[in-house]
Amino acid sequence: MQTTARRPAPADEKQLEDLLSTPLEGVGADLAALGGDVVLLGAGGKIGPTMTVMAKRALEAAGSAATVHAVSRWSEVDVRESLEKQGIRTHSAELGDPAAYSALPDAAAVYYLAAMKFGTTGAEHRMWWANAAMPALVASRYRGVPTVVYSSGNVYPFTPLAHGGCTEQDAPLPRGEYAQSCLARERIFAGASERWGTPSLMFRLNYACELRYGVVADIATRIAEGRLVDVTMPAVNVVWQQDVSAWALRSVLLADPSAPVLNATGPETIPVRRIALLLGEAMGREVEFTGTEAADALLNDAGDCFARFGYPSLAARTLIDWTAEWVSAGGRQLGKATKFEQRQGRY
């Protein structure tokens, strides 16, 4: 029986970032249909740089002359310089400062990526300002402009493994202050949509992954360092970051003043133990575990997303193989552990 050749993994960060920013089908046409410039707020983080470049490449491929604007504090100067070399117009702004908004560019669409998650335990006041106060400033500045709001599947309750994960129709039940602040962000944007007729969409993401960041990279790094893998959170949803960026960019056409929700993640509910064992096999390393699997987990059902935009372009098994190869070769990590095993909502 003939088998399909294994898709080769990116050899270095240049190849990886080129792949992550390559537009998938439909992105260019949907962005061009907006008829104007695009602004990404909080574009200097883990997701923003390659998503910004994808938007630029997609618009160019569609024959659009629209400008892509990236707004951030730019703690990493080289990231800003790289984006500018690729034709992105960058802007430095502290989004927590109300005075910053008068200088921000106008747009036909806004993507809100700014958030605070890591290091929030003990700094809850800063987290609430970033996740709940800043959205009010953004929503006021961009009244009436279609807005995609990055949110989190953390706003949902834990579900039994047999239930398949929460859908957009399930009521939020956030656990811990971080998840509560994520729901507050959504509610503030939804309130602005109602008040000013702003089309918006809440993009609830569960565990985007690339080779330098995400649940799979977290587990692979632990295995490489000889540390125990915690299986207390028994299962996860993961999805390739390139697919997430494409879905998020396209989802702006679903924005509406009713502030609908769209779940985004991979189609599988994958046991953490299974991910670790597959990684260990690929890395040639023994895997040791700690904890006992709970009966429920933080899981999303992204069936509506797949129906609109198709299934992910990269299979979860390929993501696992690539990550094993990357980590085994000493590939750089971004240094932001997902803390996927956290069941009390403390980050």
Side-chain angles (χ1 to χ4, degrees), residues 13-308:
E13 287 198 76
K14 182 178 180 181
Q15 287 188 14
L16 173 60
E17 292 186 357
D18 179 71
L19 178 58
L20 290 171
S21 63
T22 298
L24 297 178
E25 184 179 356
V27 177
D30 286 354
L31 289 181
L34 296 168
D37 293 352
V38 172
V39 169
L40 290 92
L41 302 174
K46 302 179 300 296
I47 291 173
T50 54
M51 181 175 169
T52 300
V53 176
M54 180 184 287
K56 176 66 175 176
R57 293 172 66 178
L59 283 165
E60 288 180 344
S64 171
T67 298
V68 177
H69 300 270
V71 179
S72 176
R73 290 176 295 183
W74 304 113
S75 56
E76 297 182 46
V77 177
D78 59 329
V79 172
R80 183 177 190 177
E81 292 175 347
S82 174
L83 292 180
E84 289 176 341
K85 289 178 181 177
Q86 297 178 80
I88 310 297
R89 189 167 298 174
T90 66
H91 307 260
S92 182
E94 170 53 69
L95 296 177
D97 181 1
Y101 286 82
S102 61
L104 294 184
D106 293 336
V110 171
Y111 295 86
Y112 184 72
L113 312 179
M116 181 178 179
K117 177 179 181 180
F118 304 106
T120 53
T121 298
E124 288 82 1
H125 59 293
R126 291 197 292 272
M127 176 188 68
W128 280 96
W129 181 260
N131 292 349
M134 279 167 36
L137 301 175
V138 172
S140 180
R141 167 62 180 85
Y142 289 104
R143 300 182 188 190
V145 179
T147 301
V148 174
V149 178
Y150 257 71
S151 188
S152 170
N154 284 72
V155 303
Y156 288 122
F158 285 16
T159 56
L161 301 185
H163 287 194
C166 290
T167 72
E168 293 86 348
Q169 287 70 48
D170 287 306
L173 187 63
R175 181 177 300 197
E177 287 200 52
Y178 165 69
Q180 293 165 10
S181 73
C182 290
L183 184 58
R185 175 174 55 214
E186 291 190 13
R187 299 304 196 217
I188 288 165
F189 273 107
S193 291
E194 180 181 68
R195 178 177 293 270
W196 296 312
T198 301
S200 65
L201 179 129
M202 309 303 148
F203 190 79
R204 288 181 180 165
L205 173 63
N206 261 23
Y207 295 130
C209 293
E210 50 126 307
L211 308 187
R212 302 167 298 183
Y213 169 79
V215 171
V216 180
D218 284 353
I219 297 172
T221 300
R222 292 179 192 183
I223 294 170
E225 295 174 350
R227 293 189 287 143
L228 302 177
V229 176
D230 193 335
V231 294
T232 308
M233 186 72 79
V236 291
N237 306 124
V238 297
V239 63
W240 178 235
Q241 176 58 48
Q242 181 188 17
D243 292 297
V244 173
S245 293
W247 296 340
L249 289 169
R250 297 187 68 189
S251 68
V252 70
L253 297 188
L254 306 177
D256 185 86
S258 65
V261 171
L262 185 68
N263 288 349
T265 193
E268 303 97 343
T269 295
I270 312 179
V272 171
R273 187 180 295 269
R274 174 66 59 81
I275 294 174
L277 290 173
L278 289 170
L279 285 168
E281 180 181 3
M283 297 168 72
R285 302 291 294 266
E286 291 293 327
V287 183
E288 295 187 72
F289 298 97
T290 185
T292 301
E293 285 95 336
D296 57 9
L298 185 65
L299 299 169
N300 263 11
D301 181 335
D304 283 356
C305 185
F306 306 144
R308 294 179 182 279

